[in-house]
Amino acid sequence: MGGVPAADELDGFRAEVRGFLTSALPRALAARAKAGHTLSRDELMFWHRVLHERGWVAPGWPRDYGGAGWTILQRHIFDEESARAGAPSVIPMALTIVGPLLIAHGTDEQRARYLPRILDGSEIWCQGWSEPEAGSDLASLRCHAERVGDEYVINGTKIWTTFAQWADRCMLLARTASGDRRQFGITILLVDMRRPGVSVRPLPSLDGMHVLNQVYFDDVRVPVSDRVGLEDQGWGLLKSTVGHERILNADVGRARAMLDRLIRIVQAGPGAQPGLRIRIARAAIRFRALETLVLRALDSPDPANASGASLIKVRGTELQQELSWLMSEALGLYGLPLLPDVMQDGWQDETPIGPEDAATVTPFYLFWRKASISAGTSEIMRNLIAQQVLGR
Ligand SMILES: Cc1cc2nc3c(=O)[nH]c(=O)nc-3n(C[C@H](O)[C@H](O)[C@H](O)COP(=O)(O)OP(=O)(O)OC[C@H]3O[C@@H](n4cnc5c(N)ncnc54)[C@H](O)[C@@H]3O)c2cc1C
């Protein structure tokens, strides 16, 4: 769809998305996602394939490359409707970062080789950027790649690598040169995670789940044909591909799903104390403000402009954390036990005490502490806001 769709076109689009979700999303899966369970690889990849068959798994990619070719507003509507219906979020790295990077800067051979496998879900990717000494200050990364003939030899480590335990490939940022400007000398390599010398160490998180990992590269060989763009020039390519993701990261759809869940918990329970009701009402108002902010940003000529996007990211993640905390409070004592196993697919060992939502609420709360760290910490976002809006 080219250009900005008219309002009635968008209404039609929303109805189409709703119809699809009603027919394609299994109720049991939606119920697990809505109740905050951690979904298994099979569940996530099932939904990936359903979206792929409908042609909707890569909303932001151009149609020529197998994407839906949606505008950012259509993507927003899709996310909103998906969250409302309880649809799982697909594993994002390949679809939101690797694909757009290859479409914009990859070779024809790289696109032909990797894009179809990203779309059909036959290859899972992880994002190897952060290191123990390079997180917010990513340009200080040290994982090293040395060119030897027509290969690079990689040595070093990456940390907090989401889903590395499942990944077939890694989009790696490696240092190929050092100089005065630390952004220079960073090269993007596409690494086969099954290569000799790659090892993955699980890092269980606060909620007891295993999503994060540390990955070690010990003389790992990557063909030069798996380099994206020029050697040493990877940093410049990142900026143009990460663009809109910060706004979508505020995830209004997810915040709406959390708000719905909170209201469900309160309605099913003994009734919230007046003080809690006021805080829920305030959160609901903040949600409406965030929604307006996001829609305004999406409608602007430059949605990815740093200050607006950073502001939305801070507001969105703070709201998600507040909502997850309010769920715990609304459940009172029933919300206190930490039962990580209950989050897993197939868990039915014992019936949790209290209302249906009680068992998942504490791991869910702990999980969402990550929102203000991943994809740029709140402090870094505030620095960007200060620089852009206040002029430092
Ligand atoms: C759940 C989760 C998933 C992740 N997944 C991935 C992944 O798949 N791939 C990947 O590469 N990375 C991933 N990350 C890493 C993430 O990008 C980093 O955690 C993030 O960039 C922060 O870096 P850090 O953890 O090293 O913290 P640091 O940068 O060391 O920051 C520590 C603290 O200091 C503050 N701080 C740092 N610099 C400044 C400054 N200049 N001004 C003010 N305050 C500052 C920070 O805000 C923070 O509070 C993930 C992180 C999380 C939590």
Side-chain angles (χ1 to χ4, degrees):
M1 276 176 219
V4 178
D8 53 350
E9 254 180 79
L10 286 178
D11 287 346
F13 176 72
R14 189 183 286 278
E16 188 186 352
V17 172
R18 267 192 200 171
F20 162 74
L21 290 166
T22 307
S23 62
L25 178 62
R27 284 191 180 183
L29 181 57
R32 275 178 45 74
K34 273 190 175 174
H37 290 268
T38 300
L39 300 182
S40 67
R41 175 184 175 150
D42 285 351
E43 287 172 311
L44 293 171
M45 295 320 289
F46 162 80
W47 188 239
H48 181 115
R49 281 189 290 274
V50 171
L51 290 177
H52 172 55
E53 276 162 27
R54 184 67 182 79
W56 286 357
V57 79
W61 295 17
R63 285 193 169 176
D64 289 351
Y65 292 104
W70 289 337
T71 63
I72 201 156
L73 215 51
Q74 287 172 304
R75 290 176 68 180
H76 173 74
I77 290 173
F78 177 76
D79 288 350
E80 204 176 44
E81 289 301 323
S82 295
R84 208 192 295 260
S89 305
V90 290
I91 298 175
M93 290 77 178
L95 292 163
T96 57
I97 296 179
V98 182
L101 176 81
L102 293 181
I103 289 169
H105 305 290
T107 61
D108 287 343
E109 191 199 348
Q110 287 168 343
R111 284 192 280 264
R113 186 163 176 207
Y114 295 123
L115 297 184
R117 295 188 218 170
I118 291 175
L119 286 169
D120 70 14
S122 54
E123 282 188 348
I124 295 178
W125 286 69
C126 63
Q127 183 187 335
W129 297 16
S130 306
E131 297 180 9
E133 302 297 327
S136 303
D137 185 17
L138 188 59
S140 62
L141 65 87
R142 288 194 297 215
C143 181
H144 185 253
E146 187 184 351
R147 178 133 182 199
V148 180
D150 56 3
E151 289 181 321
Y152 287 97
V153 180
I154 305 167
N155 281 288
T157 186
K158 293 286 169 180
I159 200 165
W160 314 125
T161 323
T162 305
F163 295 138
Q165 77 273 27
W166 297 340
D168 303 288
R169 306 219 163 243
C170 176
M171 176 196 166
L172 186 85
L173 299 186
R175 179 146 309 277
T176 37
S178 7
D180 292 343
R181 262 192 74 246
R182 290 173 313 149
Q183 286 81 356
F184 176 79
I186 292 174
T187 300
I188 302 177
L189 297 172
L190 309 177
V191 182
D192 181 347
M193 292 289 281
R194 315 277 174 235
R195 283 252 159 176
V198 177
S199 50
V200 176
R201 180 171 73 97
L203 297 172
S205 44
L206 265 183
D207 56 356
M209 297 292 112
H210 173 206
V211 170
L212 302 171
N213 302 276
Q214 181 159 9
V215 185
Y216 298 90
F217 299 89
D218 189 6
D219 282 335
V220 176
R221 291 178 173 268
V222 177
V224 171
S225 58
D226 277 333
R227 183 188 73 211
V228 183
L230 299 174
E231 186 172 293
D232 300 331
Q233 310 279 347
W235 190 264
L237 306 189
L238 295 181
K239 281 200 209 153
S240 62
T241 43
V242 180
H244 296 154
E245 298 314 321
R246 208 160 268 159
I247 295 183
L248 295 170
N249 237 315
D251 219 330
V252 175
R254 184 173 291 132
R256 177 187 289 283
M258 284 185 174
L259 188 59
D260 289 349
R261 185 175 171 209
L262 171 62
I263 291 168
R264 222 175 46 235
I265 290 173
V266 172
Q267 283 171 345
Q273 301 297 316
L276 187 60
R277 280 181 182 274
I278 290 170
R279 286 170 48 215
I280 293 172
R282 284 201 187 119
I285 292 165
R286 279 213 299 281
F287 169 73
R288 295 307 293 265
L290 175 74
E291 196 178 37
T292 308
L293 206 61
V294 168
L295 286 172
R296 199 182 293 161
L298 294 178
D299 201 30
S300 78
D302 179 16
N305 112 51
S307 61
S310 305
L311 191 102
I312 286 169
K313 204 268 173 180
V314 173
R315 280 289 183 221
T317 52
E318 279 177 351
L319 182 63
Q320 287 166 12
Q321 292 181 336
E322 169 78 2
L323 290 168
S324 67
W325 173 238
L326 286 169
M327 282 178 214
S328 291
E329 276 202 60
L331 279 161
L333 291 176
Y334 289 130
L336 285 182
L338 174 57
L339 301 168
D341 289 352
V342 81
M343 305 292 274
Q344 308 282 9
D345 186 22
W347 184 85
Q348 49 191 335
D349 289 358
E350 29 178 318
T351 312
I353 301 167
E356 208 190 325
D357 273 282
T360 55
V361 89
T362 292
F364 189 78
Y365 164 77
L366 293 172
F367 176 76
W368 281 103
R369 307 318 299 158
K370 65 113 192 182
S372 47
I373 303 172
S374 57
T377 68
S378 292
E379 289 79 11
I380 295 299
M381 294 301 115
R382 288 196 166 90
N383 283 353
L384 288 173
I385 295 165
Q387 283 162 12
Q388 299 281 324
V389 180
L390 308 174
R392 281 171 184 270

